[in-house]
Amino acid sequence: MGYEGYIRLPVHLLPEDGRFGSGPTRVRQSTLDGLAALGASYMGTSHRRPTVRRMVGRVRAGLTEMFELPDGYEVVLGNGGATGFWDAATFGLIEKASQHLSFGEFSSKFARAVTGAPHLDPPEIIEAPPGTHPLPSPSGRIDLYALTHNETSTGVTMPLSRVDAEGLTVVDATSAAGAIPVDPQQFDVYYFSPQKALGGDGGMYVALCSQAAIERIRQIEGSDRWIPPFLSLGSALSNSVKDQTYNTPALGTIFMLADTLEWINGNGGLSWATQRCQANARVLYGWAEKHPMAEPFVSDPNLRSIVTATIDFKAPLSGDDLAATLRQNGLLDMESYRKLGQNQLRIGMWPSIPTADVEALTACLDYLIEAFLNQR
Ligand SMILES: *Cc1c(COP(=O)(O)O)cnc(C)c1O
């Protein structure tokens, strides 16, 4: 339908904060205030000195506590985000052949990064239509299974369990870590960027690594394979255990990540963050199921993400028009994932978002939908 000008939402309907994006996500004001308060005693100081290294130590301790990492697991940090980690894993974690579950934009990207690597066999790629997820297929020739805990582009969460005893189970947890429950016995590597559920900023990756993953890293590092130094997981590991990174990290994101971890851990840990997201998801999916013009895109309720909701709209409503009008009212970043090609909104429901704001958002949507339909 045609978009015919600016509909102003009544102020009393607006949420306290308008950030509902899927990444970067809402960073709590108290985190931003905390960073500003630290100011010159932290920002602009050397990452090789105790002030920053202690902050990295807080991140590593906070993650170890949040995920209840068993003895022998290590928290590895490096620059480059989850996307950088795919290249690092292509060089330093896959021995010969990997298998990738592909069910959306992000899960397909690791497979693409591996395809064509001259030192590897072509990867096995198992696909499923958007809105669902495929299952791994254990195989003797596969030494790394690449899973995605939450496919951020489609809003599908898949259950996690170790695929087999021989291959490493390596999980992209970028939008899951810090919100969706996980058992560390079920993964060898659980890696993510901090700008989704954990309220940090982009640019860095975190990889929680099992003993088997560490052994694999060391074994490949000791082989004759050439590895670009920046992508070396061996040097990421040896720097991380000293609370450092191979090259200069963004100090702001390290503080923001430490602060968010301590906020969640101090309130009851991962299960508390999960409950916050579940409460948000109940409100939003409940609204969509009841509204005659809306519908959750993911039809199986068990697969619906509690952090990124994809909500379809029926003609003559247009998701693009809704997103644009929300944006004009200061409610940001709910545009659908372009390549998915659905008439929808994608809405973040992160631990940083209080349920009252999700309730306010549904009231805003009710108001806008009615206004759009009446304009016709
Ligand atoms: C956002 C996202 C990425 C990419 O993260 P970058 O920090 O931009 O590299 C990868 N995987 C998933 C599941 C994501 O949500």
Side-chain angles (χ1 to χ4, degrees), residues 154-171:
T154 62
V156 168
T157 300
M158 68 174 287
L160 272 194
S161 57
R162 194 177 279 285
V163 180
D164 70 16
E166 285 79 47
L168 298 177
T169 297
V170 174
V171 183

Side-chain angles (χ1 to χ4, degrees), residues 22-23 80-84 86 106-107 148 150-153 172-175 191 193-196 202-204:
S22 292
T83 305
W86 293 328
F106 292 108
S107 50
T148 302
N150 185 75
E151 177 45 81
T152 323
S153 67
D172 181 351
T174 299
S175 54
Y191 65 92
S193 310
Q195 76 275 16
K196 307 270 169 98
M204 196 171 80

Side-chain angles (χ1 to χ4, degrees), residues 48 77 234-247:
R48 304 282 179 217
L77 307 162
S235 59
L237 177 62
S238 58
N239 276 286
S240 295
V241 298
K242 292 182 280 183
D243 291 335
Q244 298 190 77
T245 46
Y246 174 66
N247 66 321

Side-chain angles (χ1 to χ4, degrees), residues 128-151:
T132 65
H133 69 78
L135 292 171
S137 168
S139 154
R141 58 176 290 276
I142 295 298
D143 59 76
L144 183 148
Y145 296 93
L147 314 185
T148 302
H149 201 177
N150 185 75
E151 177 45 81

